[in-house]
Amino acid sequence: MAVNLPDLPYAKDALSPYISANTLEFHHGKHHKTYVDNINKLIDGTDLEGKTLEEIIANSAKDPARAGIFNNAAQVWNHSFYWKCLKPKGGGAPTGEIAAKINSTFGSYDKFAEEFKNAGTTQFGSGWAWLVLDGNDLKITKTPNADTPLVHGQKALLTIDVWEHAYYLDYQNRRPDYLTAVIQNLINWDFVNSNLG
Ligand code: MN
């Protein structure tokens, strides 16, 4: 069983103008695909061959000698999760269970949006902004490089990729503008709610 590159859950031009087809062509078709190709090469012939992606991540996270395996496996997982966090005509204030949790934790959707954008803006260098469940607590976090909530005992609910490859073709250095556009127009709250279940 090889690790697979999942199809995008929408057409490549569906997130335009906030994320262009050109960005998705490179981000999914080149960057994400390269992580998939790398992990399959790295586990070939090892005890990790045939394991699930989550098992590969859990195993390699504890072993400094397997940093390359961890980085590629976690990047595959993070990207597959990120695509599902986006949808055309998404974003804005949520509904359902996550709306109530956001209001009780952060005070309001606007306060949440400000803090989530701030996490993505202040992640120095490459990484990810997250909304997670830590036990029963809703938290905003950020992780560097390939690091992922899976290995910190947290349940991922929502992420935005803040590696430069996620936004540079559309926004150049303006990471805050990319974060605002995604938060206001693309977050798939139905997916976030489904992660609470
Ligand atoms: Mn990426």
Side-chain angles (χ1 to χ4, degrees), residues 27 75 79 128 161 163 165-166:
H27 197 177
Q75 280 294 81
H79 282 89
W128 301 82
D161 187 342
W163 283 58
H165 66 222

Side-chain angles (χ1 to χ4, degrees), residues 130-168:
W130 301 90
L131 180 66
V132 302
L133 268 184
D134 193 336
N136 289 321
D137 296 334
L138 203 57
K139 288 183 182 169
I140 289 170
T141 67
K142 53 189 175 181
T143 61
N145 303 317
D147 194 15
T148 184
L150 271 69
V151 297
H152 300 292
Q154 298 167 329
K155 183 168 175 50
L157 301 177
L158 168 66
T159 196
I160 300 181
D161 187 342
V162 295
W163 283 58
E164 279 190 345
H165 66 222
Y167 60 85
Y168 211 84

Side-chain angles (χ1 to χ4, degrees), residues 11-16 19-27 170:
K12 284 211 169 67
D13 60 357
L15 306 183
S16 177
I19 296 176
S20 67
N22 194 28
T23 288
L24 289 181
E25 191 72 45
F26 278 91
H27 197 177
D170 297 327

Side-chain angles (χ1 to χ4, degrees), residues 68-89:
I69 290 177
F70 174 79
N71 285 335
N72 283 282
Q75 280 294 81
V76 171
W77 194 94
N78 289 348
H79 282 89
S80 298
F81 187 83
Y82 168 63
W83 305 131
K84 292 190 279 192
C85 290
L86 308 176
K87 72 168 190 178
K89 298 193 173 80

